[in-house]
């Protein structure tokens, strides 16, 4: 039996050097007893035997890069059987280089399990190392000094030290653990595999951690099992904020009830008064511009709500004064925002197609939107449409009212719930008012239908065809109303 003693504290090179000699000497895995130095070396029958001398001229075995990466991780594990497992895999890989791809192989399963544990331990070290400031030895006073105590499951200090050097390059630090330590002084990174003593250190940032954690803790989303999986209790004793966790968990139920009781279902009362005052000040300070073009120019400089910050431009209405009907949509889309014109995107093309089918000339209409700026959420290179909120709609109602007063349409068509709310101030289900003619001020009529974008979002083809047919019928009614007035209509 070949007995091999290794220091076994995460040094990949020592295992690799021994494994290379044993492999070249054709020593079978079952003939090797891998041991850590100090684990039974003084017991009779466990003395280390010299490594054999490989036959002259025998070349080293090349292994896949994936095995080297796997081995570098597993060597850091604390399982005493890891060296035997790695050598067994190495022995088999000589004859089957694709062995690691066999996910059902017992040795591969065991190796992946050890690798996963080391990676998880490394991740936890990144997350839970807490530095505490200590007196600095820098005579210039430019560099601050810190110390930290962490208790890893495996020998990962040397593996993780370069990460902390990159992350905390501008300060001197020591990370002490029972499985070794690492230190950085601005020039040299020093790593030791000797166990370190736990330092007795604390600083003012401990209180900051506690304040931060207490404020981000959300009792309504508490899942104790998930929390302890991500933040195992073994780390709590070294985290200043962890002292708060038992009380936070115990009081979570009461906190949720308290949050629900004080949650605002509507904006505070003063919010509506502020909005009214702002609207009055706007009306007093800036009387409605004379003429549609003047109104368009004034709207191009609108900053009443935050939507103008990210939109490309104001997308004002389009059409002539005296148009018999005004079409009001929700808000500009991506293409409308870029072009500066309403209803020119996919929904606009569908709208134009239906107008053509029912014999309604778009040039005879005034087309606009309830909200004049594009609201969106960036996702990669795309801008995803977001529904405007009540405050944003309210701010734009002033512009829509000026358009109505200048165009003087006999009929207004509200396309969608946002347009209906902007024109009436009422929050009703669209299905309750769709297809109805409703009275407005100054003898105008309001006709309600869906927005063309609704039709584009319907995934089921049969329903889409049915809704499109209904929309076509409703636009035919609009044409009839424009041409003949307002006969009885449900």
């Amino acid at each position: 039996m070949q007995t091999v003693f290794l220091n076994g504290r995460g040094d990949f090179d020592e295992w690799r050097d021994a494994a290379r000699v044993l492999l070249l000497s054709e020593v079978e895995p079952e003939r090797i007893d891998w041991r850590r130095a100090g684990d039974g070396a003084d017991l009779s029958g466990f003395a280390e035997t010299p490594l054999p001398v490989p036959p002259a001229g025998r070349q080293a075995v090349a292994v896949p890069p994936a095995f080297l990466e796997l081995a570098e991780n597993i060597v850091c594990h604390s399982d005493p059987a890891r060296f035997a497992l790695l050598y067994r895999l190495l022995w088999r890989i000589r004859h089957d280089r694709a062995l690691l791809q066999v996910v059902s192989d017992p040795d591969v399963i065991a190796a992946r399990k050890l690798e996963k544990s080391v990676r998880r331990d490394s991740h936890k070290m990144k997350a839970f190392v807490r530095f505490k400031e200590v007196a600095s030895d820098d005579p210039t006073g430019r560099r601050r000094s810190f110390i930290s105590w962490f208790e890893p499951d495996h020998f990962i200090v040397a593996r993780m030290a370069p990460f902390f050097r990159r992350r905390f390059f501008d300060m001197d630090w020591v990370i002490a653990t029972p499985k070794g330590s690492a230190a950085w002084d601005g020039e040299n990174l020093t790593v030791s595999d000797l166990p370190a003593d736990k330092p007795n250190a604390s600083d003012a940032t401990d209180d900051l951690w506690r304040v931060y954690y207490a404020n981000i803790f959300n009792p309504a989303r508490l899942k104790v099992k998930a929390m302890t999986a991500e933040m195992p209790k073994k780390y709590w004793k070294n985290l200043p904020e962890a002292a708060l966790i038992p009380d936070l968990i115990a009081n979570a139920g009461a906190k949720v009830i308290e949050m629900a009781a004080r949650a605002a279902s509507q904006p505070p009362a003063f919010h509506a008064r502020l909005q009214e005052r702002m609207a009055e000040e706007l009306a007093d300070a800036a009387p409605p511009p004379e003429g549609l073009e003047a109104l368009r120019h004034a709207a191009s400089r609108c900053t009443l709500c935050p939507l103008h910050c990210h939109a490309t431009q104001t997308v004002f209405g389009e059409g002539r004064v005296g148009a018999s009907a005004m079409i009001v949509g929700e808000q500009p889309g991506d293409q409308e925002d870029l072009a500066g014109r309403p209803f020119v995107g996919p929904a606009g093309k569908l709208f134009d197609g239906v107008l053509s089918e029912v014999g309604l000339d778009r040039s005879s209409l005034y087309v606009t939107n309830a909200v004049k700026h594009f609201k969106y959420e960036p996702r990669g290179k795309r801008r995803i449409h977001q529904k405007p909120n009540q405050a944003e709609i309210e701010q734009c109602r002033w512009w829509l009212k000026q358009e109505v007063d200048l165009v003087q349409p006999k009929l207004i068509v509200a396309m969608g719930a946002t347009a209906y709310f902007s024109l009436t101030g009422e929050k009703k289900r669209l299905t309750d008012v769709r297809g109805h003619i409703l009275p407005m001020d100054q003898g105008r009529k309001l006709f309600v239908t869906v927005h063309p974008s609704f039709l584009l979002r319907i995934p089921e083809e049969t329903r889409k065809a049915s809704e499109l047919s209904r929309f076509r019928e409703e636009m035919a009614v609009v044409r009839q109303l424009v041409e003949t007035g307002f006969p009885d209509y449900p």
Side-chain angles (χ1 to χ4, degrees), residues 35-322:
R35 291 184 170 272
R36 281 192 55 209
D39 293 349
D42 297 331
L43 299 178
S44 175
F46 289 103
E48 182 173 16
T49 53
L51 292 175
V53 178
R58 183 167 292 178
Q59 295 183 349
V61 177
V63 297
F67 174 77
L68 293 177
E69 181 181 357
L70 179 70
E72 287 174 353
N73 280 291
I74 292 178
V75 160
C76 297
H77 203 281
S78 55
D79 187 346
R82 64 193 183 278
F83 303 122
L85 172 63
L86 281 175
Y87 187 75
R88 193 160 60 248
L89 284 170
L90 177 63
W91 181 269
R92 296 175 60 193
I93 281 175
R94 290 194 310 168
H95 308 292
D96 183 5
R97 292 181 61 83
L99 175 62
L100 295 182
Q101 300 175 24
V102 183
V103 296
S104 60
D105 184 88
D107 285 342
V108 174
I109 292 173
R112 294 300 184 192
K113 184 176 180 180
L114 297 186
E115 179 191 33
K116 181 179 180 180
S117 180
V118 170
R119 290 188 183 278
R120 177 177 172 81
D121 204 30
S122 301
H123 171 72
K124 296 305 180 187
M125 186 172 183
K126 292 179 182 178
F128 298 133
V129 160
R130 294 286 189 271
F131 284 108
K132 301 180 187 296
E133 189 163 10
V134 295
S136 174
D137 295 331
D138 183 7
T140 67
R142 296 177 180 176
R143 292 181 66 85
R144 300 161 67 189
S145 297
F146 295 82
I147 193 168
S148 175
W149 173 256
F150 183 71
E151 298 179 15
D153 291 328
H154 309 300
F155 300 97
I156 58 171
V157 175
R159 169 191 172 88
M160 297 305 301
F163 165 82
F164 286 97
R165 177 182 58 188
R166 294 191 302 269
R167 180 66 180 83
F168 302 103
F169 184 84
D170 61 341
M171 68 187 202
D172 297 341
W173 50 260
V174 173
I175 300 176
T177 84
K179 298 184 183 299
S181 60
W184 169 251
D185 62 4
E187 296 181 359
N188 302 304
L189 178 64
T190 306
V191 178
S192 170
D193 61 9
L194 298 176
D197 295 327
K198 183 177 181 178
N200 183 17
S202 63
D203 65 14
T205 58
D206 288 354
D207 291 333
L208 292 178
W209 276 110
R210 283 186 278 268
V211 171
Y212 169 74
Y213 192 79
N215 282 275
I216 66 168
F217 181 82
N218 185 352
R221 301 185 64 183
L222 175 63
K223 294 182 179 178
V224 177
K225 186 175 181 180
M227 183 185 74
T228 53
E230 291 301 316
M231 192 182 195
K233 290 186 177 180
K234 70 183 291 292
Y235 299 114
W236 290 13
K237 59 185 176 183
N238 296 317
L239 301 177
E241 67 271 26
L244 305 176
I245 293 177
D247 286 342
L248 290 173
I249 293 175
N251 297 324
K255 285 290 185 181
V256 171
I257 296 174
E258 180 185 336
M259 289 167 61
R262 69 169 184 262
S265 57
Q266 295 293 334
F270 72 85
H271 183 271
R273 295 196 296 270
L274 288 176
Q275 295 293 326
E276 291 174 1
R277 184 180 300 175
M278 289 177 63
E280 292 172 359
E281 291 175 354
L282 175 65
D284 294 339
E290 297 182 2
L292 202 55
E293 287 305 314
L295 186 66
R296 183 193 309 275
H297 180 71
S300 69
R301 303 192 301 273
C302 178
T303 58
L304 289 177
C305 75
L307 294 186
H308 78 279
C309 298
H310 302 291
T312 304
Q313 58 192 313
T314 300
V315 180
F316 202 68
E318 186 175 83
R320 61 182 178 83
V321 173

